[in-house]
Amino acid sequence: MASPPSTTTTYFFFLLLLLNTAAVVRSQSYIGVNYGVTADNLPPPSATAKLLQSTSIGKVRMYGVDAGIIKALANTGIGITIGTSNSDIPALAADLNFAKGWISSNVSPYYPASKIIIINVGNEVLYYSDENLKTQLLPAMQNLQNALEAASLGGKIKVSTVHPMSVLGQSEPPSAGRFDPKYEALLKGFLEFNKATASPFMINPYPYFAYQSDPRPDTLAFCLFEPNAGRPDSGTNVKYMNMFDAQVDAVRSALNAMAFPDVEIVVAETGWPYKGGDTEHGATIDNAKAYNGNLVAHLRSMVGTPLMPGKSIDTYLFALYDEDLKPGAGSERFFGIYKTDLTSIYDIGLSKTGQGPLATAPAPALSPPADAPTTGGATTLPTNSSTTTTPTTTPPNSTIPQYSPTARVNASKNAGSLNTIAISFIAIVFLAVTSML
């Protein structure tokens, strides 16, 4: 007969449980944020680092290499994703020594104190018309990977690239998601690289841009994770309840169809502007709070998506701050979650000291505003801090993911309360442990 566990064993069991629960409350490694620098009023890196440490944000993505921020994040445990510029791709592809020099200048001085986890080679390269750049992208990634290995960093830092959602040729329903045939040959090479190096396939889903061109009455609620009738997927008999899940699952289906079921998806950008131009319907502070807040709650719920249940995809919110110098549509300058004075523009429950239930955003109207299109119109693809895209015209019945009906699992409106429960549980466990000493 086995002996009962000793007091010491029990103590360590409870201590482990306590630490694990504390980790749930204090941070979420799957919640990231984009840090863009197309602005003239950003706070100093040290202040930004302190802001990030006060939140449950576990990762930061940059579009280039900002030495100030990288140094400021040293020894914080916050994961850092950096990037090469699109203009660096030809040199990276042609010359391994150039790639080694890039690692020597931009990674080695900071790692491992600064937790660099991913290097993105370029950004949304497949969106642009430069065919040479597209064919040079994979050799550039391979050379950068070889340079990491030469620096004894292979396997410690991943190499990837970020793709636009327009790489999908079909996305509705999500189970029928497929890549555009014109990209398949290129994507096969990228995916073989992702699989061989265990690096993620990174994508930019934006339900906001879907709403701009989808006139169905419940689209706004569907995009904001708010109550709606849902949209069925005839291929799986699943009813999707939000656009984010459907867009991500359309990518999952496309990866599976190309026989890469084990390649991980990372959401490199997603967000909602709180202000925009006169014709940018839906760009309001209430909608931005609802989308980002409900997305954070959905991620914390660990429900996952219908095709990837029981886990939360690493997701980088766009963006930490507004970027007042960005060109393009008015909304491009108003995606920030925090002001540059370090106060929040709207609260989505990211503060470590305030991770209780998220306030419910005002219920959205279940019909498009007066300026919304009455038929499918121009599809505005997401833009970012390193490049600004221009609208492209898409037929009303386009299957680009911005039109796809989406996701079955509703983010729990009370998912944020998990943290409150966890805090209470920590107190109970602490009392239990102390009573045994």
Side-chain angles (χ1 to χ4, degrees):
M1 180 177 181
S3 356
S6 67
T7 302
T8 303
T9 301
T10 305
Y11 170 75
F12 279 111
F13 169 77
F14 277 111
L15 181 61
L16 182 63
L17 187 61
L18 177 64
L19 292 173
N20 182 65
T21 306
V24 171
V25 174
R26 304 302 291 174
S27 65
Q28 286 86 31
S29 63
Y30 44 80
I31 298 176
V33 71
N34 284 270
Y35 175 79
V37 296
T38 313
D40 61 4
N41 59 349
L42 297 177
S46 58
T48 294
K50 287 180 181 177
L51 170 63
L52 291 169
Q53 288 179 278
S54 74
T55 73
S56 55
I57 292 169
K59 295 181 173 71
V60 175
R61 176 182 170 228
M62 305 172 195
Y63 294 88
V65 180
D66 187 311
I69 287 290
I70 294 174
K71 289 177 181 177
L73 292 175
N75 304 309
T76 63
I78 294 173
I80 304 169
T81 292
I82 60 176
T84 79
S85 67
N86 285 359
S87 61
D88 280 336
I89 291 174
L92 287 167
D95 188 355
L96 176 58
N97 286 327
F98 182 87
K100 289 180 177 179
W102 197 95
I103 295 297
S104 178
S105 298
N106 298 301
V107 176
S108 298
Y110 315 115
Y111 186 89
S114 295
K115 189 180 174 183
I116 298 171
I117 55 175
I118 297 175
I119 302 170
N120 279 319
V121 182
N123 190 59
E124 294 195 334
V125 172
L126 296 190
Y127 176 70
Y128 300 99
S129 58
D130 189 332
E131 296 302 321
N132 287 332
L133 206 61
K134 293 174 185 176
T135 58
Q136 292 167 330
L137 180 54
L138 180 56
M141 293 167 66
Q142 292 167 332
N143 274 347
L144 211 52
Q145 178 68 33
N146 290 335
L148 282 172
E149 291 171 0
S152 299
L153 296 173
K156 298 176 182 177
I157 299 172
K158 304 298 183 182
V159 175
S160 191
T161 189
V162 177
H163 300 291
M165 286 294 282
S166 56
V167 295
L168 288 184
Q170 181 173 339
S171 63
E172 186 176 345
S175 63
R178 298 295 184 271
F179 291 118
D180 190 322
K182 70 183 178 183
Y183 297 125
E184 282 186 355
L186 286 170
L187 286 169
K188 187 173 186 295
F190 299 141
L191 289 167
E192 287 173 344
F193 175 89
N194 292 141
K195 181 178 180 179
T197 62
S199 66
F201 185 83
M202 303 185 72
I203 198 78
N204 290 344
Y206 273 89
Y208 168 73
F209 293 106
Y211 174 61
Q212 297 298 298
S213 300
D214 189 335
R216 285 174 283 188
D218 67 342
T219 296
L220 182 59
F222 190 59
C223 288
L224 297 180
F225 299 84
E226 295 289 352
N228 65 91
R231 297 180 181 181
D233 185 326
S234 58
T236 55
N237 292 321
V238 162
K239 181 180 284 188
Y240 279 82
M241 302 305 297
N242 67 79
M243 182 70 79
F244 177 84
D245 281 357
Q247 291 186 334
V248 171
D249 271 1
V251 176
R252 180 75 272 162
S253 294
L255 291 172
N256 294 349
M258 285 190 68
F260 291 98
D262 298 326
V263 171
E264 175 192 4
I265 296 172
V266 165
V267 172
E269 288 181 29
T270 190
W272 197 286
Y274 66 88
K275 189 186 297 186
D278 292 340
T279 60
E280 294 183 282
H281 49 278
T284 70
I285 198 161
D286 288 340
N287 288 344
K289 178 178 180 178
Y291 177 74
N292 286 316
N294 289 333
L295 173 58
V296 167
H298 184 40
L299 295 172
R300 285 179 177 158
S301 76
M302 301 297 287
V303 172
T305 73
L307 296 185
M308 294 177 287
K311 63 178 182 179
S312 289
I313 254 183
D314 283 6
T315 299
Y316 292 81
L317 303 174
F318 188 85
L320 185 62
Y321 302 122
D322 286 341
E323 294 178 86
D324 63 330
L325 300 181
K326 286 189 73 173
S331 63
E332 288 296 319
R333 294 174 286 283
F334 299 105
F335 273 86
I337 298 170
Y338 290 91
K339 300 175 185 177
T340 54
D341 67 2
L342 309 179
T343 60
S344 61
I345 296 172
Y346 49 86
D347 182 15
I348 57 173
L350 290 176
S351 171
K352 285 181 179 176
T353 58
Q355 289 185 26
L358 296 173
T360 302
L366 295 185
S367 59
D371 57 350
T374 55
T375 59
T379 299
T380 306
L381 297 175
T383 61
N384 52 58
S385 293
S386 62
T387 54
T388 300
T389 60
T390 53
T392 58
T393 302
T394 308
N397 296 322
S398 168
T399 55
I400 284 179
Q402 282 85 343
Y403 293 87
S404 66
T406 77
R408 156 201 182 199
V409 194
N410 223 346
S412 168
K413 295 295 184 255
N414 295 319
S417 65
L418 175 64
N419 296 295
T420 302
I421 295 169
I423 292 171
S424 302
F425 185 67
I426 286 178
I428 293 169
V429 172
F430 178 76
L431 291 173
V433 171
T434 53
S435 69
M436 293 187 296
L437 298 179

